[in-house]
Amino acid sequence: MSYARKSVGGFEKQQDDTLRKRKKGSVDSYIIRRLLSYIMPFKGLLAAAVVVTIAGAVLGPLRPYMTKLAIDNYIIPGDIRGLTAISLMLFAVILLDGVKQYTATYLTQLIGQRAVLNLRMDIFRHLQKLSVRFYDRNPIGRLITRTTNDVEALNEMLSSGLVTIIGDLLQLVFIVVLMFMIDWHLTCIVLAVLPFVIYITMSFKSRVRVAFQDVRTHLARLNTFIQEHISGMNIVQLFDRQSSELCKHMDINREYRDANIRTVLYFSIYYPLVELISSVAAGLVIWYSGVRMLKGDITLGVVVSFVQYIWLFFRPLQHLSDKFNIMQTALASSDRVFKLLEEKDVMEEPESPVAISSLKHDIVFDHVWFAYNAENWVIRDMSFRVKRGEKVAIVGATGSGKTTIINVLSKLYPVSRGSVRIDGVDITSIPEHSLRRLIGVVMQDVFLFSGTIRENLAFGKPGVSDEEIHEAARIVGADRFIDRLPGRYDYRVRENGSGLSAGQKQLLAFVRALLYNPDILVLDEATSSVDTETEGLIDAATARLMKNRTSITIAHRLSTVQHADTIIVMHKGVIKETGSHQQLLAAKGLYYKLYLLQHPEKIHESPGAQA
């Protein structure tokens, strides 16, 4: 099995399963209704485009008819004046047709661009509402494909598809009507081949739809693979995995190529068949017209106009097949886009929200259980209390559930059992914007956005003044390295802080948290990746940041938590010990063992000396 097949995610499988469950014919109609909902806000522009298209649909079919009149009524009789008049009329028709095409194209493109703008906004708005669990199980590359390539496919259809199809269909109707007016025998010959075109088109539709879905699926896999490997290229190179990863990329790329070739194959068969049928129709018309001309039963103008009508008749059919290509691409893409918009894995807003402006009393974890997957418990029956203004530290081995406490407190994940309360209010009843305003988190892995230092520092507090930013940077000690950067606070940060050291990014995170000014400060391994000098700066900044503020510190280095009011020691999701640094050392339990592992030189000292 290739890497591409093994990397199919739950999101893709869920979409394909849902598609199969829908009744036959319901998929396209559902998608078209959703697409129309993005066009309806521009009913005025749409109506204008439709009116222009309908009014101009007769202009093209008029030209062969006017050619017939010119030949039969003016050229053969030798009427120069009449020929000049109808030639001027024909020129006016051609000119009006050009104006119609320009106006219709501009209006449809305007509608499409505005509709796609709203769609992109809806997608990004919805992505911001989706829970962290959704992003845990869906690769970033796949989501980027949904929001870029798939939406761009919709853009082409909304901009040039629907209204143009209406124009082509109306043009076909006018062509048939004028052909019947000129000669119904020849018209029947042309229409006799139409069932073959319809049959070929329907067979083509059933196959190309599946092919386009495969193309989108393999494109998503390709984008996912490339995004992951560009982000982790240093790991690929450090482990010398270039050759093996190139083979994996070859598998994915080959499947994407094959999916595209299948669509090319279908179109390479479809277009020549339609061309062949139109040529057969033209041949039959010319043969039958020749026979009738020998009998004097038909005029030269009728024959010439019908030859023109044959090519004009099959041109809209070919246009429709081109639009059908666009439609199939768009339907395959829009099905995935709308499935993303229908994703229900969001953090529900409380039915009876209780807004909290500040922490007045305490934070309580009451018999909390939590599991990321099924009942693989990460936190087990956890209960503790953090009083307002208290400094609490949480320590324990990797995987003991320390960071999960922060995820639950921030409501990034809902608790499985028990409750978390702030000032007696369950956090499920607190609106997210109110809860997040209370809590400021400094993570171990700091994320910085592309932009200036100033923009990153002010991320949590838009509109903050330069004076406040400079003062916060001075307090934390970040101003020392910022002043050395080209442009200082206008220095452009590259993707995720590339070009800055881990310690510098950590200092910027502290400045950002200080400007955010939360009631509850959470430090998640905030000094684990900094050197001793930077750690000293951060320790000094942390002391100022924690002053008169409730704080929860997660740490591996026990030296950073010795001054906490309460230290919670965790092991495998369970609280094993609670107390101050001195109390836990005196108890000689798990904390005492962890302390000796980090400070073996203290092994012969008394607990009192260790302090």
Side-chain angles (χ1 to χ4, degrees):
M1 180 181 292
S2 70
Y3 179 86
R5 291 297 182 193
K6 290 188 285 187
S7 65
V8 178
F11 186 48
E12 294 287 349
K13 185 176 185 300
Q14 178 188 1
Q15 288 187 325
D16 294 338
D17 290 344
T18 304
L19 187 63
R20 286 193 293 269
K21 289 177 183 177
R22 289 177 181 166
K23 294 180 179 179
K24 186 178 180 180
S26 66
V27 177
D28 290 359
S29 60
Y30 167 77
I31 291 173
I32 290 172
R33 286 197 306 271
R34 289 291 302 269
L35 289 174
L36 287 175
S37 68
Y38 283 94
I39 298 177
M40 283 301 102
F42 314 107
K43 289 181 287 193
L45 289 173
L46 180 62
V50 171
V51 168
V52 170
T53 301
I54 293 174
V58 73
L59 296 174
L62 272 178
R63 283 179 285 177
Y65 184 76
M66 295 176 72
T67 301
K68 170 195 171 298
L69 294 178
I71 293 173
D72 290 345
N73 296 354
Y74 304 110
I75 294 177
I76 293 176
D79 185 351
I80 300 298
R81 181 175 295 179
L83 179 61
T84 302
I86 199 166
S87 296
L88 291 174
M89 291 174 62
L90 183 59
F91 175 76
V93 168
I94 294 172
L95 184 62
L96 285 173
D97 194 29
V99 173
K100 181 270 296 185
Q101 291 183 25
Y102 164 78
T103 306
T105 300
Y106 179 80
L107 290 175
T108 53
Q109 289 288 335
L110 188 60
I111 294 168
Q113 292 297 330
R114 291 184 177 181
V116 168
L117 171 65
N118 290 342
L119 178 59
R120 287 197 183 103
M121 293 302 295
D122 283 351
I123 292 172
F124 190 73
R125 188 180 297 112
H126 187 65
L127 286 173
Q128 292 188 110
K129 293 179 182 178
L130 292 172
S131 70
V132 176
R133 291 174 303 186
F134 174 82
Y135 295 99
D136 288 343
R137 64 176 194 269
N138 288 287
I140 295 174
R142 187 169 296 150
L143 298 177
I144 290 174
T145 301
R146 296 291 164 268
T147 56
T148 54
N149 300 78
D150 286 335
V151 172
E152 195 56 38
L154 295 181
N155 178 24
E156 191 171 1
M157 186 188 76
L158 293 174
S159 298
S160 61
L162 297 176
V163 176
T164 308
I165 287 174
I166 295 173
D168 288 337
L169 290 173
L170 285 172
Q171 193 174 57
L172 279 174
V173 172
F174 288 131
I175 289 171
V176 172
V177 169
L178 289 172
M179 287 169 66
F180 270 113
M181 289 173 58
I182 296 172
D183 191 295
W184 69 271
H185 294 93
L186 295 179
T187 304
C188 289
I189 292 176
V190 176
L191 294 181
V193 302
L194 190 58
F196 297 99
V197 176
I198 294 174
Y199 174 76
I200 292 171
T201 302
M202 296 307 294
S203 300
F204 169 75
K205 172 189 174 183
S206 62
R207 289 169 173 79
V208 79
R209 175 67 184 275
V210 176
F212 275 121
Q213 287 176 340
D214 286 344
V215 167
R216 292 294 161 184
T217 298
H218 291 301
L219 177 60
R221 291 169 181 157
L222 181 63
N223 285 345
T224 298
F225 185 89
I226 291 174
Q227 186 273 329
E228 288 178 348
H229 282 70
I230 289 177
S231 299
M233 188 57 69
N234 59 332
I235 302 299
V236 173
Q237 293 176 350
L238 286 172
F239 285 90
D240 194 26
R241 294 284 296 176
Q242 291 94 325
S243 297
S244 60
E245 297 309 301
L246 182 62
C247 291
K248 293 178 183 179
H249 181 264
M250 186 181 297
D251 286 342
I252 299 173
N253 217 356
R254 186 184 293 115
E255 293 193 357
Y256 179 51
R257 177 204 63 192
D258 293 344
N260 276 287
I261 288 175
R262 281 194 293 274
T263 64
V264 173
L265 175 64
Y266 293 140
F267 281 101
S268 65
I269 295 172
Y270 177 74
Y271 285 123
L273 282 177
V274 173
E275 190 71 25
L276 176 63
I277 292 171
S278 63
S279 299
V280 169
L284 289 173
V285 166
I286 292 172
W287 173 81
Y288 185 62
S289 299
V291 172
R292 290 177 61 186
M293 284 188 70
L294 292 175
K295 296 179 181 180
D297 190 31
I298 194 171
T299 65
L300 178 62
V302 171
V303 177
V304 172
S305 66
F306 252 86
V307 171
Q308 290 180 335
Y309 271 126
I310 288 171
W311 303 117
L312 201 60
F313 177 78
F314 283 98
R315 186 186 301 166
L317 288 177
Q318 289 181 331
H319 285 174
L320 286 172
S321 66
D322 289 336
K323 295 299 179 289
F324 185 74
N325 176 8
I326 295 172
M327 289 283 288
Q328 290 303 302
T329 305
L331 289 174
S333 298
S334 56
D335 184 68
R336 299 184 182 281
V337 169
F338 291 139
K339 284 304 301 175
L340 175 60
L341 288 173
E342 292 168 0
E343 175 61 50
K344 302 298 184 184
D345 192 359
V346 298
M347 296 298 290
E348 297 291 339
E349 285 294 322
E351 294 182 2
S352 302
V354 179
I356 296 181
S357 58
S358 62
L359 178 67
K360 295 181 174 62
H361 302 292
D362 55 18
I363 304 166
V364 175
F365 275 64
D366 187 6
H367 298 285
V368 172
W369 292 69
F370 177 81
Y372 291 102
N373 298 304
E375 292 194 357
N376 184 19
W377 300 112
V378 180
I379 294 177
R380 303 167 181 268
D381 197 24
M382 175 176 292
S383 297
F384 66 89
R385 178 187 180 195
V386 181
K387 299 178 183 177
R388 179 180 179 275
E390 188 176 11
K391 298 174 179 57
V392 173
I394 302 173
V395 301
T398 300
S400 60
K402 303 186 300 297
T403 299
T404 300
I405 293 175
I406 307 309
N407 291 337
V408 168
L409 175 62
S410 302
K411 215 163 77 166
L412 294 176
Y413 296 87
V415 298
S416 304
R417 301 178 193 170
S419 65
V420 179
R421 298 188 298 275
I422 295 179
D423 287 347
V425 180
D426 195 307
I427 61 171
T428 57
S429 299
I430 304 175
E432 285 187 20
H433 68 274
S434 178
L435 177 66
R436 305 277 166 77
R437 192 64 194 86
L438 289 176
I439 304 172
V441 182
V442 178
M443 303 296 291
Q444 178 180 0
D445 298 319
V446 179
F447 188 91
L448 298 177
F449 292 92
S450 299
T452 64
I453 292 284
R454 179 183 287 101
E455 290 168 346
N456 273 279
L457 295 180
F459 184 77
K461 191 177 180 181
V464 64
S465 67
D466 287 348
E467 290 74 16
E468 291 176 281
I469 292 175
H470 297 165
E471 177 62 17
R474 187 191 63 77
I475 292 173
V476 172
D479 59 329
R480 301 182 186 180
F481 83 86
I482 293 175
D483 288 338
R484 294 195 298 268
L485 295 173
R488 301 178 68 239
Y489 291 89
D490 291 320
Y491 174 78
R492 301 291 300 183
V493 177
R494 296 195 292 273
E495 183 179 2
N496 198 19
S498 175
L500 297 176
S501 70
Q504 289 172 335
K505 289 193 288 185
Q506 201 69 262
L507 286 170
L508 293 179
F510 268 82
V511 179
R512 187 161 59 187
L514 180 60
L515 289 169
Y516 194 59
N517 193 28
D519 281 17
I520 305 167
L521 177 66
V522 177
L523 306 178
D524 186 3
E525 303 286 1
T527 61
S528 62
S529 57
V530 299
D531 55 41
T532 305
E533 181 182 356
T534 305
E535 183 179 356
L537 289 173
I538 290 178
D539 285 343
T542 301
R544 296 185 182 183
L545 200 56
M546 287 181 173
K547 189 175 182 181
N548 300 322
R549 186 176 278 120
T550 307
S551 66
I552 300 175
T553 304
I554 294 173
H556 276 301
R557 299 180 185 176
L558 301 187
S559 58
T560 63
V561 301
Q562 294 181 20
H563 299 291
D565 299 319
T566 303
I567 300 174
I568 298 173
V569 184
M570 295 188 62
H571 181 67
K572 294 183 178 180
V574 177
I575 296 178
K576 288 294 186 180
E577 299 173 335
T578 302
S580 67
H581 175 67
Q582 293 287 350
Q583 290 170 342
L584 293 174
L585 286 180
K588 293 192 175 182
L590 180 59
Y591 182 85
Y592 179 74
K593 294 177 182 178
L594 292 173
Y595 185 80
L596 291 183
L597 284 174
Q598 294 185 18
H599 301 279
E601 73 280 1
K602 305 285 187 178
I603 194 167
H604 298 299
E605 297 182 15
S606 65
Q610 292 166 10

